[in-house]
Amino acid sequence: FTCRHLNIGCAPDVLTMSMTHTGELGYVMYIPSEFALHVLDSIEEAGKDLGVKHCGYYEMHAVRIEKFYALWGQDLDSKSTLYECGRAFRVKLESTNSSSRDIDFIGRDAFIRQKKEGIKKILVMLLLDAADHDVEVDQWPWGGEPIFRDGTYAGRVTTSAYGYTLGRHVCLGFIHNYGENREEMPFDSKWVHNGSYEIEIGGLRFSADVKLNSPVLPPSISTQKSGTNYRHSD
């Protein structure tokens, strides 16, 4: 989560950030459009002896879902709050200097209020049971599938992909605690973990394990220490 301006080939002052949307070690670059192809050619030339290759969008998609990286516009939108998507730890309420004081920002009062009142939906990771869902035979989830908790509808899948290091399908989605009259009720992490979950795909329900944090991946997977865990406050 640091950045600097780099000269790449003949392209000056390319804003380069040490962060990725996949959880792997890497960089995001903001390149002026007139230099885009030149920068791409320069990186390919510099990396050809290192085996640098292009990767497809769906490959990046699968990698970020496996690490519980939510994507704006697909998993999250303007109606998702920081507590609901596990990003409350990124909010700074007070200054850290000697004259400590509150930091004002749009939505601050609502943020504090939701912390006191509790949340009524939360983004979770659901790992399909590999013994129940056969990737060679059963339909794959693509997003929009219903999520059931203890046999009751609780929400929908937002995005999904096959987790190659986990060996099973991974789904992200929001779950809700609906009351008898379909009103949304507040809940905590204990309520989430105490439920039994299923995802309905093509009219069939498959059991799934729920996660509030990213699972531990094999040690051979290189990840950013500061960005790997998708943390929720329990």
Side-chain angles (χ1 to χ4, degrees), residues 4-163:
R4 63 181 295 182
H5 288 87
L6 300 178
N7 297 328
I8 302 176
C10 297
D13 295 331
V14 175
L15 178 60
T16 305
M17 299 183 294
S18 177
M19 62 174 290
T20 70
H21 298 295
T22 62
E24 302 293 329
L25 292 173
Y27 304 92
V28 172
M29 298 176 179
Y30 282 86
I31 307 167
S33 58
E34 63 269 25
F35 287 109
L37 290 177
H38 170 70
V39 171
L40 176 62
D41 291 340
S42 299
I43 293 174
E44 288 182 333
E45 178 64 25
K48 65 180 181 180
D49 293 335
L50 301 173
V52 170
K53 298 178 181 179
H54 290 278
C55 72
Y57 170 77
Y58 283 108
E59 182 176 353
M60 295 179 63
H61 186 70
V63 172
R64 67 97 182 166
I65 288 178
E66 194 173 53
K67 294 186 178 70
F68 208 156
Y69 271 43
L71 187 64
W72 180 264
Q74 295 188 28
D75 301 300
L76 310 177
D77 56 26
S78 59
K79 296 181 180 179
S80 309
T81 72
L82 293 158
Y83 280 113
E84 293 167 351
C85 66
R87 283 292 182 262
F89 67 95
R90 296 222 183 269
V91 178
K92 190 175 182 180
L93 292 173
E94 297 180 350
S95 174
T96 56
N97 57 33
S98 56
S99 58
S100 180
R101 64 180 184 275
D102 292 343
I103 297 176
D104 191 26
F105 55 86
I106 296 173
R108 188 180 196 277
D109 292 341
F111 177 79
I112 295 174
R113 184 170 61 251
Q114 188 173 54
K115 182 178 181 180
K116 295 178 180 179
E117 296 177 354
I119 56 176
K120 298 179 181 179
K121 68 174 182 178
I122 194 168
L123 186 69
V124 298
M125 170 187 276
L126 293 160
L127 307 177
L128 287 176
D129 187 343
D132 189 23
H133 182 266
D134 187 341
V135 298
E136 300 295 336
V137 177
D138 297 313
Q139 293 189 47
W140 289 19
W142 292 99
E145 292 81 9
I147 302 170
F148 293 86
R149 180 186 181 275
D150 295 340
T152 302
Y153 175 80
R156 286 189 175 272
V157 172
T158 51
T159 55
S160 65
Y162 182 76

